Amino acid sequence: MKYIIFQFRNVLLTLLVVISIDVLGQTKPNILILATGGTIAGAAGSGVQSGYTSGQVTIDAMVNAVPDVLKVAKIKGEQISNVGSQDMSFDIMLKIAKRINEMANSNDVDGFVITHGTDTMEETAYFLNLVTKTDKPVVLVGSMRPSTAVSADGPLNLYNAIAVAGDPNAKGRGVVLVMNDWIHSAQSLTKVSTTAVQTFMSPLRGLIGVTSYGVNDFYRYPDQKFGNKSEFSVDGVTKLPRVDIIYADVDMPADLIDASVEHGAKGIVIAGVGNGNMPKAALEACARASKKGVIVVRSTRVATGTVGRNVECNDDELGLVASYNLNPQKSRILLSVALLKPRKLDEMQKIFIDY
Ligand code: GLU
């Protein structure tokens, strides 16, 4: 009898273990990692050397460096590319966007993590914010130090990114970037340091939230349009129209603007001085471009502040668009996507206010 009770107890215990593993397993979110390269996947010859090659390490090796992520999420990975983000391209960005849209309604995915170099992360993040159609979290993550460095920042960044992507509270906040414990909106963030681990800031609108060892605290929802509310789509799109950025400074050569038009640009973004200003000759060249149907956006080379309409130049008369919140590189992304459809100047201006 004692033996039967003992066996019965063992069976019950085994059942309990199996049931709890299953229950725990079910509560773990499914995260799809789309890897693109960058320093997070970079390797150097030694732990203290500044030179290194981006995009050397595969997605499996990155996840293996943080085995703890498997306790908080079920991970699947796909290698989309393996480049330093200076070689990020619209081709790769379109691939990522289309893959997210393809998987957005799948029950097998609760959130997306995109590993990416930090140099152009703001462009990809903002592009995805405009053209992916999902409320599920889409999180970009990178690192400033290669995987082989002393105090590599990639593993904890990846752990935090996966924790944000799997958090139901992260839903509906648009595309975000998680690095060094901060959660930024794709709309607000910008890279501010070439080498420091604390390289991303959201100077105008502030953080979406913070995260610490996978415990997240959310502060706000972005108020611009994005995701399901965005009117932009990349369905069937294989190429984006040419948009050039031209940097304004003292005595800038205005013929750069004419050259850009001659080379087929459909849009031009001026990284203006101050409140999107530029010398008179450049303004005249912008007006010439606008008359030819090229959309010209005045943004700013200044790190923070908005560029308003008709402040120090007459945008109405010159036929120009003010970038408001967007820096030159994000203005270029928005303009490239907006130009996929013919639009009038005032419609373009409204887009720059809404997004
Ligand atoms: N150029 C590299 C990249 O963007 C370095 C920047 C980084 O990832 O931190 O991939």
Side-chain angles (χ1 to χ4, degrees):
M1 186 62 183
K2 242 183 176 180
Y3 175 76
I4 291 172
I5 292 173
F6 180 72
Q7 285 301 329
F8 184 63
R9 181 180 151 262
N10 277 356
V11 170
L12 270 182
L13 275 177
T14 315
L15 262 176
L16 207 66
V17 171
V18 170
I19 289 167
S20 39
I21 287 174
D22 195 34
V23 167
L24 282 178
Q26 276 179 11
T27 58
K28 280 198 256 177
N30 294 302
I31 304 301
L32 178 59
I33 302 185
L34 303 175
T36 72
T39 300
I40 194 166
S46 90
V48 288
Q49 114 186 15
S50 65
Y52 65 93
T53 317
S54 297
Q56 295 295 295
V57 178
T58 61
I59 191 167
D60 293 339
M62 277 190 284
V63 173
N64 286 341
V66 231
D68 282 339
V69 295
L70 300 174
K71 291 185 195 153
V72 294
K74 289 191 224 155
I75 311 282
K76 276 197 188 138
E78 292 175 17
Q79 196 81 40
I80 300 277
S81 64
N82 212 354
V83 295
S85 72
Q86 55 272 45
D87 287 321
M88 184 46 59
S89 62
F90 281 127
D91 271 357
I92 303 175
M93 280 157 65
L94 283 167
K95 248 194 216 169
I96 308 168
K98 288 177 182 176
R99 189 64 185 138
I100 292 173
N101 286 339
E102 232 169 56
M103 297 303 285
N105 295 323
S106 160
N107 291 332
D108 295 339
V109 181
D110 297 303
F112 299 88
V113 169
I114 294 117
T115 58
H116 197 291
T118 58
D119 287 355
T120 60
M121 203 185 257
E122 62 193 280
E123 278 105 314
T124 303
Y126 188 56
F127 178 77
L128 296 177
N129 205 41
L130 296 173
V131 302
T132 52
K133 307 289 174 198
T134 180
D135 272 352
K136 292 180 183 173
V138 176
V139 181
L140 277 92
V141 65
S143 75
M144 289 302 282
R145 295 177 182 149
S147 62
T148 45
V150 171
S151 304
D153 53 333
L156 185 55
N157 284 344
L158 184 61
Y159 182 82
N160 282 335
I162 289 169
V164 171
D167 188 336
N169 238 333
K171 279 187 182 169
R173 295 183 197 265
V175 174
V176 297
L177 181 150
V178 172
M179 270 185 65
N180 214 27
D181 293 357
W182 285 6
I183 309 170
H184 299 267
S185 158
Q187 210 273 346
S188 61
L189 69 95
T190 189
K191 184 174 183 179
V192 296
S193 169
T194 52
T195 56
V197 166
Q198 184 53 54
T199 189
F200 285 101
M201 302 292 274
S202 286
L204 278 178
R205 293 181 177 257
L207 297 176
I208 287 289
V210 291
T211 174
S212 181
Y213 298 99
V215 178
N216 311 318
D217 190 4
F218 291 95
Y219 301 157
R220 71 176 180 94
Y221 287 88
D223 40 16
Q224 265 79 14
K225 285 192 182 172
F226 57 86
N228 286 325
K229 291 205 184 103
S230 163
E231 68 209 77
F232 304 116
S233 158
V234 287
D235 286 354
V237 173
T238 53
K239 205 174 164 350
L240 289 157
R242 174 170 167 170
V243 175
D244 294 344
I245 298 177
I246 297 176
Y247 200 89
D249 58 356
V250 170
D251 259 350
M252 70 181 280
D255 57 8
L256 284 179
I257 295 163
D258 301 311
S260 177
V261 177
E262 276 158 31
H263 280 84
K266 302 286 175 261
I268 296 174
V269 175
I270 306 290
V273 296
N275 200 337
N277 293 314
M278 66 199 91
K280 275 197 185 69
L283 266 184
E284 283 161 17
C286 287
R288 279 198 294 280
S290 174
K291 282 215 175 78
K292 289 187 180 152
V294 176
I295 303 290
V296 183
V297 175
R298 290 187 306 106
S299 180
T300 179
R301 65 182 201 178
V302 179
T304 179
T306 57
V307 171
R309 205 174 159 74
N310 296 325
V311 179
E312 288 183 66
C313 68
N314 191 331
D315 290 309
D316 298 342
E317 239 169 64
L318 298 165
L320 309 181
V321 171
S323 76
Y324 284 81
N325 282 264
L326 295 181
N327 66 17
Q329 52 274 33
K330 285 195 206 159
S331 297
R332 175 173 181 250
I333 297 293
L334 180 56
L335 191 49
S336 306
V337 170
L339 279 165
L340 285 169
K341 211 178 105 180
R343 295 171 206 268
K344 293 201 179 108
L345 213 52
D346 54 347
E347 208 185 326
M348 283 292 187
Q349 181 60 80
K350 187 162 178 340
I351 282 170
F352 272 81
I353 293 168
D354 290 348
Y355 289 86

